[in-house]
Amino acid sequence: MLSQLTGSLTVMNPTIPSLYALPKIHKENCPMRPIVSYTNAPASKLCKHLNSILPDMIQHDPIYSIKNNIQLTNELKTLKIPTNARLVSFDVVNLFPSIPTTEVEYLVNQQLDENPSITAYMKEETMRLLKICLGQSYFKFNEKFYQQLDGLPMGSPSSNLFSEIFMTALEKKIFSPANVNLTDFVLYWKRYVDDIFCIWTGSNSELESFLELINSFYSSIQFTLEIEDNNKCLNFLDIQVKIINEHLEFNIYRKPTFSDILIHNSSSHPFKIKMSAFHTLVHRLISIPLSATNFDNEVQILKVLAKNNGYHPDIINKLIFKKQQKRLLTLVYPPQLENQMKKFVYINYIPSLSDKLCKRIRKNDIDVICTNKKNLRTMFFSGKNRLNISQLSGVYKLFCDECPAFYIGQTGRSLGIRIEEHKRSILQNKSTTGFSNHCITSNHFIDFNKTKILHRGDKGKRLDLLEFLEISSAQKQNLPIVNDQLDFRLSPVLTSVT
Protein backbone atom coordinates (compact mmCIF):
# COMPACT_ATOMS: atom_id res chain seq x y z
CA MET A 1 0.00 0.00 0.00
CA LEU A 2 2.64 2.54 1.06
CA SER A 3 5.19 1.41 -1.51
CA GLN A 4 2.63 1.75 -4.35
CA LEU A 5 1.88 5.36 -3.40
CA THR A 6 5.45 6.50 -2.82
CA GLY A 7 5.64 8.56 -6.02
CA SER A 8 2.43 10.54 -5.52
CA LEU A 9 3.20 11.16 -1.83
CA THR A 10 6.76 12.37 -2.37
CA VAL A 11 7.43 16.09 -1.91
CA MET A 12 9.63 17.13 -4.85
CA ASN A 13 11.07 20.17 -3.09
CA PRO A 14 11.04 19.31 0.63
CA THR A 15 11.90 21.96 3.21
CA ILE A 16 12.83 21.63 6.85
CA PRO A 17 9.86 22.30 9.18
CA SER A 18 10.33 25.67 10.86
CA LEU A 19 9.12 26.89 14.24
CA TYR A 20 7.27 30.17 14.68
CA ALA A 21 4.95 31.52 17.37
CA LEU A 22 1.65 33.37 17.63
CA PRO A 23 0.73 35.52 20.67
CA LYS A 24 -2.21 34.51 22.86
CA ILE A 25 -3.47 38.05 23.32
CA HIS A 26 -6.48 36.93 25.37
CA LYS A 27 -4.30 35.49 28.16
CA GLU A 28 -2.34 37.23 30.90
CA ASN A 29 1.23 38.27 30.00
CA CYS A 30 0.49 37.37 26.36
CA PRO A 31 2.22 33.95 26.18
CA MET A 32 3.28 32.57 22.80
CA ARG A 33 1.82 29.54 21.05
CA PRO A 34 4.63 27.61 19.29
CA ILE A 35 3.65 26.25 15.86
CA VAL A 36 5.71 24.13 13.48
CA SER A 37 5.16 24.96 9.82
CA TYR A 38 4.88 21.70 7.86
CA THR A 39 4.42 23.30 4.44
CA ASN A 40 6.41 21.11 2.02
CA ALA A 41 7.91 19.14 4.92
CA PRO A 42 9.26 15.72 3.79
CA ALA A 43 6.35 13.78 5.32
CA SER A 44 3.60 16.39 4.82
CA LYS A 45 1.82 14.44 2.04
CA LEU A 46 2.20 11.18 3.97
CA CYS A 47 0.52 12.79 7.00
CA LYS A 48 -2.40 14.00 4.88
CA HIS A 49 -2.74 10.56 3.30
CA LEU A 50 -2.77 8.92 6.73
CA ASN A 51 -5.51 11.34 7.82
CA SER A 52 -7.68 10.16 4.93
CA ILE A 53 -7.34 6.39 5.51
CA LEU A 54 -6.73 5.83 9.23
CA PRO A 55 -10.15 6.79 10.74
CA ASP A 56 -11.96 4.11 8.69
CA MET A 57 -9.26 1.51 9.31
CA ILE A 58 -9.43 1.84 13.10
CA GLN A 59 -13.21 2.51 13.03
CA HIS A 60 -12.62 5.75 14.91
CA ASP A 61 -15.73 6.92 16.75
CA PRO A 62 -15.14 10.06 18.89
CA ILE A 63 -18.36 9.74 20.90
CA TYR A 64 -17.42 12.49 23.38
CA SER A 65 -16.34 15.01 20.75
CA ILE A 66 -18.33 17.84 19.13
CA LYS A 67 -17.65 19.66 15.87
CA ASN A 68 -18.86 23.15 16.78
CA ASN A 69 -21.00 25.28 19.09
CA ILE A 70 -24.14 24.62 17.01
CA GLN A 71 -23.95 20.88 17.70
CA LEU A 72 -23.40 21.61 21.40
CA THR A 73 -26.41 23.92 21.79
CA ASN A 74 -28.68 21.61 19.78
CA GLU A 75 -27.86 18.77 22.17
CA LEU A 76 -28.33 20.94 25.25
CA LYS A 77 -31.47 22.93 24.36
CA THR A 78 -33.92 20.17 25.38
CA LEU A 79 -31.90 18.83 28.33
CA LYS A 80 -33.61 19.11 31.70
CA ILE A 81 -31.20 20.36 34.36
CA PRO A 82 -31.54 19.13 37.98
CA THR A 83 -31.63 21.78 40.70
CA ASN A 84 -28.28 20.60 42.12
CA ALA A 85 -26.48 20.71 38.75
CA ARG A 86 -23.58 23.04 37.99
CA LEU A 87 -21.81 24.02 34.81
CA VAL A 88 -18.08 23.30 34.75
CA SER A 89 -15.42 23.11 32.10
CA PHE A 90 -12.13 21.25 31.92
CA ASP A 91 -9.15 22.23 29.82
CA VAL A 92 -6.12 20.08 28.97
CA VAL A 93 -2.87 21.96 29.58
CA ASN A 94 -0.77 22.05 26.37
CA LEU A 95 -2.59 19.11 24.79
CA PHE A 96 -0.54 18.41 21.65
CA PRO A 97 2.97 18.58 23.19
CA SER A 98 1.76 16.50 26.18
CA ILE A 99 0.39 13.47 24.32
CA PRO A 100 2.69 10.42 24.67
CA THR A 101 3.43 9.24 21.12
CA THR A 102 4.15 5.68 22.28
CA GLU A 103 0.59 5.51 23.57
CA VAL A 104 -0.74 6.70 20.19
CA GLU A 105 1.20 3.89 18.48
CA TYR A 106 -0.17 1.35 20.94
CA LEU A 107 -3.78 2.54 20.51
CA VAL A 108 -3.64 2.47 16.70
CA ASN A 109 -1.99 -0.97 16.72
CA GLN A 110 -4.68 -2.28 19.08
CA GLN A 111 -7.57 -0.81 17.07
CA LEU A 112 -6.18 -2.22 13.82
CA ASP A 113 -6.17 -5.66 15.45
CA GLU A 114 -9.84 -5.23 16.37
CA ASN A 115 -10.85 -4.65 12.74
CA PRO A 116 -11.28 -8.09 11.07
CA SER A 117 -11.07 -6.59 7.57
CA ILE A 118 -7.48 -5.40 8.10
CA THR A 119 -4.90 -7.89 6.86
CA ALA A 120 -1.47 -8.38 8.42
CA TYR A 121 0.15 -6.67 5.43
CA MET A 122 -2.20 -3.66 5.64
CA LYS A 123 -1.51 -3.35 9.36
CA GLU A 124 2.26 -3.51 8.85
CA GLU A 125 2.19 -0.84 6.14
CA THR A 126 -0.11 1.42 8.17
CA MET A 127 2.10 1.19 11.24
CA ARG A 128 5.14 2.00 9.10
CA LEU A 129 3.35 5.07 7.81
CA LEU A 130 2.30 6.04 11.34
CA LYS A 131 5.88 5.85 12.64
CA ILE A 132 7.14 7.96 9.74
CA CYS A 133 4.58 10.66 10.54
CA LEU A 134 5.29 10.56 14.27
CA GLY A 135 9.03 10.47 13.62
CA GLN A 136 9.09 13.79 11.79
CA SER A 137 9.44 15.71 15.02
CA TYR A 138 12.37 17.95 14.17
CA PHE A 139 12.28 21.62 13.22
CA LYS A 140 14.45 24.65 12.61
CA PHE A 141 14.46 27.86 14.64
CA ASN A 142 16.93 30.74 14.39
CA GLU A 143 19.18 28.67 12.11
CA LYS A 144 19.46 25.92 14.72
CA PHE A 145 17.94 22.43 14.59
CA TYR A 146 15.81 20.94 17.37
CA GLN A 147 13.92 17.71 17.97
CA GLN A 148 10.72 17.34 19.95
CA LEU A 149 11.39 14.26 22.06
CA ASP A 150 7.76 13.52 22.88
CA GLY A 151 4.31 14.88 22.18
CA LEU A 152 2.74 16.03 18.92
CA PRO A 153 3.95 19.18 17.17
CA MET A 154 1.27 21.79 16.71
CA GLY A 155 1.07 22.40 12.97
CA SER A 156 1.56 18.85 11.75
CA PRO A 157 -1.31 17.70 9.48
CA SER A 158 -1.75 14.50 11.50
CA SER A 159 -1.52 15.93 15.04
CA ASN A 160 -5.23 16.67 15.29
CA LEU A 161 -6.18 13.09 14.32
CA PHE A 162 -3.65 11.57 16.73
CA SER A 163 -4.90 13.79 19.58
CA GLU A 164 -8.50 12.73 18.86
CA ILE A 165 -7.52 9.05 18.95
CA PHE A 166 -5.71 9.54 22.24
CA MET A 167 -8.40 11.67 23.93
CA THR A 168 -11.20 9.31 22.85
CA ALA A 169 -9.33 6.40 24.42
CA LEU A 170 -8.68 8.43 27.59
CA GLU A 171 -12.35 9.36 27.91
CA LYS A 172 -13.32 5.69 27.61
CA LYS A 173 -10.98 4.99 30.52
CA ILE A 174 -12.51 7.82 32.54
CA PHE A 175 -16.08 6.58 31.98
CA SER A 176 -15.29 2.92 32.55
CA PRO A 177 -17.42 0.95 35.05
CA ALA A 178 -14.56 1.08 37.57
CA ASN A 179 -15.10 4.84 38.05
CA VAL A 180 -18.89 4.82 38.19
CA ASN A 181 -18.88 6.18 41.77
CA LEU A 182 -17.68 9.53 40.35
CA THR A 183 -18.80 9.49 36.71
CA ASP A 184 -22.42 9.05 37.79
CA PHE A 185 -22.32 12.74 38.74
CA VAL A 186 -21.56 13.70 35.13
CA LEU A 187 -24.88 14.54 33.48
CA TYR A 188 -23.25 15.78 30.26
CA TRP A 189 -19.70 15.70 28.89
CA LYS A 190 -18.59 16.90 25.45
CA ARG A 191 -15.15 17.98 24.22
CA TYR A 192 -13.97 20.34 21.50
CA VAL A 193 -10.26 19.50 20.90
CA ASP A 194 -8.95 20.19 24.45
CA ASP A 195 -11.90 22.12 25.97
CA ILE A 196 -14.58 20.11 27.75
CA PHE A 197 -18.09 21.25 28.68
CA CYS A 198 -19.57 19.34 31.60
CA ILE A 199 -22.75 19.42 33.68
CA TRP A 200 -21.91 18.20 37.20
CA THR A 201 -24.48 17.03 39.77
CA GLY A 202 -22.15 16.15 42.68
CA SER A 203 -20.69 18.12 45.58
CA ASN A 204 -17.51 20.23 45.61
CA SER A 205 -15.48 17.48 47.29
CA GLU A 206 -16.69 14.94 44.74
CA LEU A 207 -15.78 17.33 41.94
CA GLU A 208 -12.26 17.65 43.36
CA SER A 209 -12.03 13.85 43.54
CA PHE A 210 -13.14 13.62 39.92
CA LEU A 211 -10.47 16.14 38.89
CA GLU A 212 -7.85 14.04 40.70
CA LEU A 213 -9.14 10.96 38.89
CA ILE A 214 -8.86 12.38 35.37
CA ASN A 215 -5.39 13.76 36.19
CA SER A 216 -4.17 10.37 37.43
CA PHE A 217 -4.09 8.46 34.12
CA TYR A 218 -1.07 10.21 32.55
CA SER A 219 1.43 12.47 34.30
CA SER A 220 1.77 14.60 31.15
CA ILE A 221 -2.00 15.06 30.63
CA GLN A 222 -3.31 17.44 33.24
CA PHE A 223 -6.74 19.10 33.33
CA THR A 224 -7.65 22.49 34.78
CA LEU A 225 -11.11 23.21 36.15
CA GLU A 226 -13.41 26.20 35.74
CA ILE A 227 -16.74 26.46 37.59
CA GLU A 228 -19.78 28.59 36.73
CA ASP A 229 -19.99 32.07 38.27
CA ASN A 230 -22.52 33.25 40.85
CA ASN A 231 -25.11 33.82 38.12
CA LYS A 232 -24.82 30.16 37.05
CA CYS A 233 -23.15 31.26 33.81
CA LEU A 234 -20.25 29.57 32.02
CA ASN A 235 -18.48 30.69 28.86
CA PHE A 236 -17.54 27.90 26.47
CA LEU A 237 -16.12 28.50 22.99
CA ASP A 238 -18.04 31.61 21.86
CA ILE A 239 -21.23 30.74 23.75
CA GLN A 240 -22.42 31.83 27.18
CA VAL A 241 -24.47 29.10 28.86
CA LYS A 242 -26.75 29.87 31.81
CA ILE A 243 -29.06 27.71 33.96
CA ILE A 244 -32.57 29.18 34.20
CA ASN A 245 -35.51 27.23 35.64
CA GLU A 246 -34.08 23.75 35.03
CA HIS A 247 -33.18 24.60 31.44
CA LEU A 248 -30.23 26.18 29.70
CA GLU A 249 -30.27 29.59 28.08
CA PHE A 250 -27.66 30.60 25.50
CA ASN A 251 -26.10 33.87 24.51
CA ILE A 252 -23.19 34.96 22.30
CA TYR A 253 -19.93 35.43 24.21
CA ARG A 254 -17.11 37.69 23.06
CA LYS A 255 -13.69 37.74 24.68
CA PRO A 256 -12.38 41.00 26.19
CA THR A 257 -9.92 41.22 23.28
CA PHE A 258 -12.80 41.33 20.76
CA SER A 259 -12.44 44.07 18.16
CA ASP A 260 -15.21 45.47 15.97
CA ILE A 261 -12.82 45.82 13.01
CA LEU A 262 -14.02 43.96 9.91
CA ILE A 263 -13.30 44.56 6.21
CA HIS A 264 -14.39 48.17 5.74
CA ASN A 265 -16.89 49.01 3.04
CA SER A 266 -14.33 51.29 1.36
CA SER A 267 -11.75 48.49 1.02
CA SER A 268 -10.82 47.18 -2.42
CA HIS A 269 -12.41 43.75 -1.97
CA PRO A 270 -15.22 41.92 -3.78
CA PHE A 271 -18.61 42.52 -2.16
CA LYS A 272 -18.88 38.78 -1.39
CA ILE A 273 -15.66 38.91 0.61
CA LYS A 274 -16.86 41.98 2.51
CA MET A 275 -20.07 40.18 3.39
CA SER A 276 -18.42 36.90 4.43
CA ALA A 277 -17.88 37.98 8.06
CA PHE A 278 -21.49 39.17 8.35
CA HIS A 279 -22.74 35.91 6.82
CA THR A 280 -20.80 33.99 9.50
CA LEU A 281 -22.13 36.17 12.32
CA VAL A 282 -25.74 35.97 11.08
CA HIS A 283 -25.44 32.19 10.55
CA ARG A 284 -24.39 31.84 14.19
CA LEU A 285 -27.22 34.15 15.25
CA ILE A 286 -29.98 32.05 13.69
CA SER A 287 -28.33 28.66 14.39
CA ILE A 288 -27.88 29.07 18.15
CA PRO A 289 -31.23 28.72 20.01
CA LEU A 290 -31.25 32.17 21.61
CA SER A 291 -34.08 33.61 23.64
CA ALA A 292 -36.06 36.44 22.04
CA THR A 293 -34.30 39.04 24.22
CA ASN A 294 -30.82 37.70 23.51
CA PHE A 295 -31.64 37.44 19.80
CA ASP A 296 -32.70 41.08 19.62
CA ASN A 297 -29.63 42.20 21.58
CA GLU A 298 -27.32 40.31 19.21
CA VAL A 299 -29.06 41.87 16.19
CA GLN A 300 -28.35 45.32 17.62
CA ILE A 301 -24.69 44.42 18.19
CA LEU A 302 -24.37 43.26 14.57
CA LYS A 303 -25.95 46.48 13.32
CA VAL A 304 -23.42 48.51 15.32
CA LEU A 305 -20.63 46.37 13.79
CA ALA A 306 -21.98 47.08 10.32
CA LYS A 307 -22.26 50.84 10.95
CA ASN A 308 -18.74 51.05 12.44
CA ASN A 309 -17.35 49.44 9.27
CA GLY A 310 -19.11 51.73 6.81
CA TYR A 311 -22.19 49.64 5.98
CA HIS A 312 -25.87 50.50 6.39
CA PRO A 313 -27.30 48.63 9.42
CA ASP A 314 -30.18 47.35 7.27
CA ILE A 315 -27.85 44.79 5.66
CA ILE A 316 -28.19 42.73 8.86
CA ASN A 317 -31.99 42.55 8.49
CA LYS A 318 -31.60 41.56 4.83
CA LEU A 319 -29.10 38.81 5.63
CA ILE A 320 -31.30 37.44 8.43
CA PHE A 321 -34.32 37.37 6.11
CA LYS A 322 -32.38 35.63 3.31
CA LYS A 323 -30.93 32.96 5.62
CA GLN A 324 -34.25 32.25 7.31
CA GLN A 325 -35.96 32.06 3.91
CA LYS A 326 -33.30 29.66 2.64
CA ARG A 327 -33.80 27.46 5.72
CA LEU A 328 -37.53 27.25 5.09
CA LEU A 329 -37.03 26.43 1.42
CA THR A 330 -34.56 23.70 2.38
CA LEU A 331 -37.15 22.12 4.66
CA VAL A 332 -39.80 22.17 1.92
CA TYR A 333 -37.46 21.30 -0.97
CA PRO A 334 -34.50 19.26 0.29
CA PRO A 335 -31.37 19.98 -1.77
CA GLN A 336 -30.52 17.41 -4.41
CA LEU A 337 -27.04 15.93 -4.64
CA GLU A 338 -25.20 17.16 -7.71
CA ASN A 339 -23.69 14.59 -10.04
CA GLN A 340 -20.58 16.63 -10.70
CA MET A 341 -18.43 18.57 -8.33
CA LYS A 342 -18.56 22.29 -9.00
CA LYS A 343 -15.36 23.79 -10.37
CA PHE A 344 -13.61 26.74 -8.76
CA VAL A 345 -11.14 29.21 -10.23
CA TYR A 346 -9.19 31.94 -8.45
CA ILE A 347 -8.50 35.32 -10.02
CA ASN A 348 -6.87 38.47 -8.66
CA TYR A 349 -9.47 41.11 -7.82
CA ILE A 350 -9.59 44.25 -9.96
CA PRO A 351 -12.58 46.52 -9.19
CA SER A 352 -15.29 46.58 -11.86
CA LEU A 353 -13.31 44.40 -14.31
CA SER A 354 -13.32 41.29 -12.09
CA ASP A 355 -17.06 41.61 -11.44
CA LYS A 356 -17.84 41.57 -15.17
CA LEU A 357 -15.48 38.67 -15.79
CA CYS A 358 -16.99 36.66 -12.91
CA LYS A 359 -20.51 36.96 -14.34
CA ARG A 360 -19.39 35.53 -17.68
CA ILE A 361 -17.40 32.66 -16.17
CA ARG A 362 -20.22 31.66 -13.78
CA LYS A 363 -22.52 31.06 -16.76
CA ASN A 364 -20.40 27.96 -17.46
CA ASP A 365 -21.12 26.51 -13.98
CA ILE A 366 -17.71 27.59 -12.74
CA ASP A 367 -17.54 29.50 -9.46
CA VAL A 368 -15.01 32.33 -9.33
CA ILE A 369 -13.21 33.32 -6.15
CA CYS A 370 -11.57 36.74 -6.25
CA THR A 371 -8.51 37.24 -4.08
CA ASN A 372 -6.05 39.98 -3.29
CA LYS A 373 -2.56 38.53 -3.21
CA LYS A 374 -1.02 41.86 -2.29
CA ASN A 375 -2.49 43.26 0.91
CA LEU A 376 -1.32 44.84 4.14
CA ARG A 377 -0.92 41.45 5.79
CA THR A 378 1.59 40.23 3.19
CA MET A 379 3.65 43.38 3.66
CA PHE A 380 4.40 42.62 7.31
CA PHE A 381 6.55 39.85 8.72
CA SER A 382 4.46 36.73 9.37
CA GLY A 383 6.75 35.26 12.02
CA LYS A 384 7.86 32.45 9.72
CA ASN A 385 11.37 32.14 8.35
CA ARG A 386 11.47 33.28 4.74
CA LEU A 387 12.93 30.79 2.29
CA ASN A 388 15.90 31.77 0.14
CA ILE A 389 15.09 32.02 -3.58
CA SER A 390 17.31 28.98 -4.21
CA GLN A 391 14.99 26.88 -2.01
CA LEU A 392 11.82 27.77 -3.92
CA SER A 393 10.16 25.87 -6.76
CA GLY A 394 7.97 27.11 -9.60
CA VAL A 395 8.31 29.04 -12.86
CA TYR A 396 11.68 30.78 -13.02
CA LYS A 397 13.55 33.20 -15.26
CA LEU A 398 17.29 33.05 -16.02
CA PHE A 399 19.24 35.93 -17.58
CA CYS A 400 22.36 35.92 -19.72
CA ASP A 401 25.33 37.72 -18.18
CA GLU A 402 26.53 39.34 -21.40
CA CYS A 403 23.39 40.06 -23.47
CA PRO A 404 19.61 40.69 -23.01
CA ALA A 405 18.73 37.02 -23.66
CA PHE A 406 16.70 35.18 -21.01
CA TYR A 407 15.13 31.77 -20.45
CA ILE A 408 11.86 30.75 -18.76
CA GLY A 409 11.47 27.31 -17.26
CA GLN A 410 9.81 25.45 -14.42
CA THR A 411 11.00 23.14 -11.66
CA GLY A 412 9.25 21.08 -9.01
CA ARG A 413 12.53 20.76 -7.14
CA SER A 414 14.45 23.65 -5.61
CA LEU A 415 15.63 26.41 -7.95
CA GLY A 416 19.18 25.98 -6.66
CA ILE A 417 19.33 22.37 -7.88
CA ARG A 418 17.88 23.32 -11.28
CA ILE A 419 20.38 26.18 -11.73
CA GLU A 420 23.25 23.80 -10.95
CA GLU A 421 21.97 21.57 -13.75
CA HIS A 422 21.95 24.52 -16.16
CA LYS A 423 25.43 25.49 -15.02
CA ARG A 424 26.76 21.94 -15.39
CA SER A 425 25.34 21.54 -18.91
CA ILE A 426 27.04 24.80 -19.99
CA LEU A 427 30.40 23.82 -18.48
CA GLN A 428 30.19 20.37 -20.12
CA ASN A 429 29.12 21.86 -23.50
CA LYS A 430 25.83 19.96 -23.50
CA SER A 431 22.97 21.77 -25.24
CA THR A 432 20.20 20.35 -23.09
CA THR A 433 18.03 23.51 -23.24
CA GLY A 434 17.71 26.59 -25.40
CA PHE A 435 19.52 28.56 -22.71
CA SER A 436 22.51 26.23 -22.50
CA ASN A 437 22.66 26.20 -26.32
CA HIS A 438 22.72 30.02 -26.35
CA CYS A 439 25.47 30.22 -23.71
CA ILE A 440 27.61 27.57 -25.45
CA THR A 441 27.34 29.03 -28.95
CA SER A 442 27.82 32.62 -27.75
CA ASN A 443 30.38 31.79 -25.05
CA HIS A 444 28.13 33.51 -22.47
CA PHE A 445 27.16 32.48 -18.94
CA ILE A 446 24.30 32.88 -16.41
CA ASP A 447 23.82 36.16 -14.50
CA PHE A 448 22.87 34.67 -11.11
CA ASN A 449 22.11 38.07 -9.55
CA LYS A 450 19.09 38.56 -11.83
CA THR A 451 17.51 35.11 -11.34
CA LYS A 452 13.80 35.37 -10.54
CA ILE A 453 10.94 33.13 -9.43
CA LEU A 454 7.96 34.35 -11.44
CA HIS A 455 5.40 31.99 -9.90
CA ARG A 456 5.76 29.72 -6.88
CA GLY A 457 4.14 26.29 -6.92
CA ASP A 458 4.45 22.53 -7.11
CA LYS A 459 4.82 20.47 -10.25
CA GLY A 460 1.52 20.06 -12.09
CA LYS A 461 -0.93 21.49 -14.61
CA ARG A 462 -1.02 24.89 -12.96
CA LEU A 463 2.74 25.28 -13.34
CA ASP A 464 2.56 24.07 -16.95
CA LEU A 465 -0.04 26.73 -17.72
CA LEU A 466 1.89 29.53 -16.00
CA GLU A 467 5.07 28.58 -17.86
CA PHE A 468 3.16 28.58 -21.15
CA LEU A 469 1.65 32.01 -20.43
CA GLU A 470 5.04 33.54 -19.60
CA ILE A 471 6.75 32.06 -22.68
CA SER A 472 3.89 33.02 -25.03
CA SER A 473 3.77 36.56 -23.64
CA ALA A 474 7.53 37.00 -24.22
CA GLN A 475 7.26 35.60 -27.77
CA LYS A 476 4.36 37.89 -28.68
CA GLN A 477 6.34 40.92 -27.47
CA ASN A 478 9.35 39.80 -29.54
CA LEU A 479 11.56 39.73 -26.43
CA PRO A 480 14.95 37.95 -26.64
CA ILE A 481 13.74 34.65 -25.11
CA VAL A 482 15.96 31.68 -25.98
CA ASN A 483 13.61 28.81 -25.11
CA ASP A 484 13.21 25.96 -27.57
CA GLN A 485 9.95 26.04 -29.51
CA LEU A 486 7.40 24.38 -27.22
CA ASP A 487 4.26 22.69 -28.53
CA PHE A 488 1.52 23.61 -26.05
CA ARG A 489 -1.84 22.19 -27.03
CA LEU A 490 -4.17 24.49 -25.15
CA SER A 491 -7.59 25.90 -25.97
CA PRO A 492 -7.92 29.01 -28.18
CA VAL A 493 -9.34 30.85 -25.16
CA LEU A 494 -6.11 30.39 -23.18
CA THR A 495 -3.99 31.21 -26.20
CA SER A 496 -5.89 34.45 -26.75
CA VAL A 497 -5.18 35.85 -23.27
CA THR A 498 -1.39 35.68 -23.58
Side-chain angles (χ1 to χ4, degrees):
M1 177 179 64
L2 181 57
S3 56
Q4 294 173 349
L5 294 167
T6 301
S8 62
L9 300 180
T10 300
V11 179
M12 287 190 68
N13 184 24
T15 56
I16 300 166
S18 59
L19 180 73
Y20 66 101
L22 297 176
K24 301 179 183 179
I25 60 173
H26 61 286
K27 292 194 175 182
E28 189 177 355
N29 298 323
C30 197
M32 304 298 285
R33 176 184 286 113
I35 301 174
V36 180
S37 175
Y38 272 75
T39 304
N40 287 335
S44 57
K45 289 187 178 181
L46 290 174
C47 291
K48 293 175 183 178
H49 177 65
L50 185 63
N51 285 353
S52 66
I53 64 171
L54 189 58
D56 289 336
M57 296 181 73
I58 63 174
Q59 299 174 331
H60 180 54
D61 183 21
I63 57 175
Y64 299 103
S65 180
I66 56 169
K67 294 181 179 179
N68 49 45
N69 53 17
I70 297 173
Q71 181 185 346
L72 176 71
T73 53
N74 284 336
E75 291 183 7
L76 291 173
K77 65 183 179 182
T78 57
L79 191 64
K80 186 175 181 181
I81 310 300
T83 54
N84 64 332
R86 284 181 298 169
L87 306 178
V88 300
S89 68
F90 298 94
D91 179 35
V92 184
V93 181
N94 296 325
L95 174 63
F96 282 20
S98 303
I99 291 177
T101 54
T102 52
E103 185 69 11
V104 173
E105 282 190 48
Y106 170 78
L107 290 170
V108 172
N109 186 74
Q110 184 184 50
Q111 291 172 37
L112 288 173
D113 283 337
E114 293 172 357
N115 188 348
S117 64
I118 302 297
T119 64
Y121 173 72
M122 291 171 64
K123 177 187 172 182
E124 180 186 353
E125 290 283 272
T126 304
M127 292 304 298
R128 279 179 60 203
L129 179 56
L130 175 73
K131 289 177 181 179
I132 291 172
C133 295
L134 288 173
Q136 189 170 275
S137 57
Y138 58 90
F139 55 86
K140 187 179 181 181
F141 180 71
N142 280 349
E143 301 304 318
K144 292 183 178 179
F145 295 92
Y146 300 87
Q147 184 174 16
Q148 186 171 329
L149 299 178
D150 205 359
L152 303 172
M154 188 174 291
S156 170
S158 55
S159 289
N160 190 60
L161 173 61
F162 294 156
S163 67
E164 277 295 317
I165 292 170
F166 175 82
M167 288 301 296
T168 300
L170 175 57
E171 286 166 328
K172 288 180 179 178
K173 286 183 180 180
I174 293 171
F175 291 97
S176 67
N179 304 318
V180 69
N181 59 321
L182 289 173
T183 56
D184 269 355
F185 297 115
V186 177
L187 178 65
Y188 184 86
W189 172 288
K190 280 297 168 72
R191 174 179 51 81
Y192 180 80
V193 188
D194 59 349
D195 294 321
I196 298 158
F197 181 86
C198 174
I199 300 177
W200 181 260
T201 60
S203 63
N204 284 338
S205 61
E206 289 163 336
L207 181 58
E208 289 296 325
S209 298
F210 181 72
L211 180 61
E212 290 178 10
L213 169 68
I214 61 178
N215 283 333
S216 66
F217 290 97
Y218 298 95
S219 59
S220 61
I221 301 295
Q222 296 297 299
F223 294 81
T224 59
L225 171 66
E226 182 182 352
I227 305 177
E228 65 184 25
D229 59 23
N230 294 331
N231 295 320
K232 291 196 171 185
C233 285
L234 183 72
N235 300 322
F236 186 78
L237 301 180
D238 57 352
I239 300 297
Q240 183 186 79
V241 187
K242 185 176 183 179
I243 300 178
I244 296 181
N245 299 328
E246 298 185 348
H247 287 88
L248 295 177
E249 183 179 88
F250 307 104
N251 203 356
I252 306 300
Y253 169 71
R254 292 177 173 86
K255 293 180 179 179
T257 54
F258 169 75
S259 168
D260 65 350
I261 298 174
L262 301 174
I263 299 178
H264 199 272
N265 191 27
S266 61
S267 296
S268 180
H269 285 80
F271 186 71
K272 272 190 171 183
I273 300 297
K274 293 177 182 179
M275 290 292 101
S276 59
F278 292 107
H279 276 287
T280 301
L281 295 171
V282 170
H283 176 72
R284 180 178 65 178
L285 169 70
I286 65 174
S287 300
I288 303 297
L290 303 176
S291 65
T293 302
N294 290 341
F295 184 92
D296 292 339
N297 289 339
E298 181 64 15
V299 170
Q300 294 307 312
I301 292 173
L302 296 186
K303 287 184 176 181
V304 172
L305 278 174
K307 186 177 180 181
N308 290 349
N309 288 276
Y311 303 92
H312 196 284
D314 283 349
I315 66 166
I316 302 301
N317 292 333
K318 293 177 181 177
L319 288 175
I320 292 172
F321 175 77
K322 284 182 179 179
K323 286 194 175 291
Q324 289 177 334
Q325 186 182 50
K326 187 176 180 180
R327 279 196 163 194
L328 290 173
L329 288 173
T330 303
L331 291 174
V332 179
Y333 306 104
Q336 300 294 321
L337 293 175
E338 297 182 3
N339 295 328
Q340 294 182 344
M341 185 181 295
K342 199 169 186 179
K343 296 180 180 178
F344 293 87
V345 295
Y346 294 83
I347 63 173
N348 203 43
Y349 180 68
I350 302 173
S352 182
L353 176 62
S354 295
D355 296 329
K356 294 177 182 177
L357 183 61
C358 289
K359 288 181 180 178
R360 292 199 175 189
I361 296 177
R362 287 191 179 114
K363 290 180 180 179
N364 298 309
D365 199 31
I366 299 175
D367 200 3
V368 185
I369 300 173
C370 295
T371 60
N372 282 330
K373 293 183 178 180
K374 292 293 183 182
N375 50 45
L376 287 175
R377 181 178 180 180
T378 61
M379 297 179 186
F380 292 95
F381 181 57
S382 65
K384 300 179 183 180
N385 293 326
R386 295 186 182 275
L387 294 175
N388 187 283
I389 187 173
S390 63
Q391 297 174 286
L392 303 177
S393 60
V395 177
Y396 62 91
K397 190 174 184 179
L398 295 180
F399 294 86
C400 180
D401 190 28
E402 299 182 47
C403 73
F406 63 88
Y407 172 86
I408 293 174
Q410 65 159 294
T411 177
R413 298 168 295 162
S414 66
L415 179 60
I417 293 175
R418 185 68 183 113
I419 288 177
E420 284 300 315
E421 292 175 347
H422 281 286
K423 182 179 177 181
R424 189 160 52 249
S425 65
I426 295 170
L427 292 173
Q428 295 175 357
N429 287 325
K430 294 181 179 179
S431 299
T432 55
T433 65
F435 189 70
S436 60
N437 182 59
H438 165 78
C439 292
I440 291 168
T441 56
S442 305
N443 198 25
H444 293 175
F445 207 67
I446 305 172
D447 186 353
F448 294 102
N449 295 325
K450 292 184 179 179
T451 304
K452 290 182 179 179
I453 283 280
L454 302 178
H455 304 280
R456 291 180 60 177
D458 298 325
K459 197 79 171 174
K461 292 182 179 179
R462 176 179 174 272
L463 224 56
D464 292 338
L465 175 59
L466 290 171
E467 181 189 26
F468 163 76
L469 292 174
E470 292 291 346
I471 292 172
S472 298
S473 177
Q475 288 174 337
K476 285 192 173 183
Q477 298 177 61
N478 294 320
L479 298 177
I481 185 170
V482 294
N483 285 66
D484 297 328
Q485 186 65 38
L486 300 177
D487 182 18
F488 287 97
R489 291 182 176 86
L490 297 178
S491 69
V493 176
L494 290 174
T495 306
S496 65
V497 300
T498 59

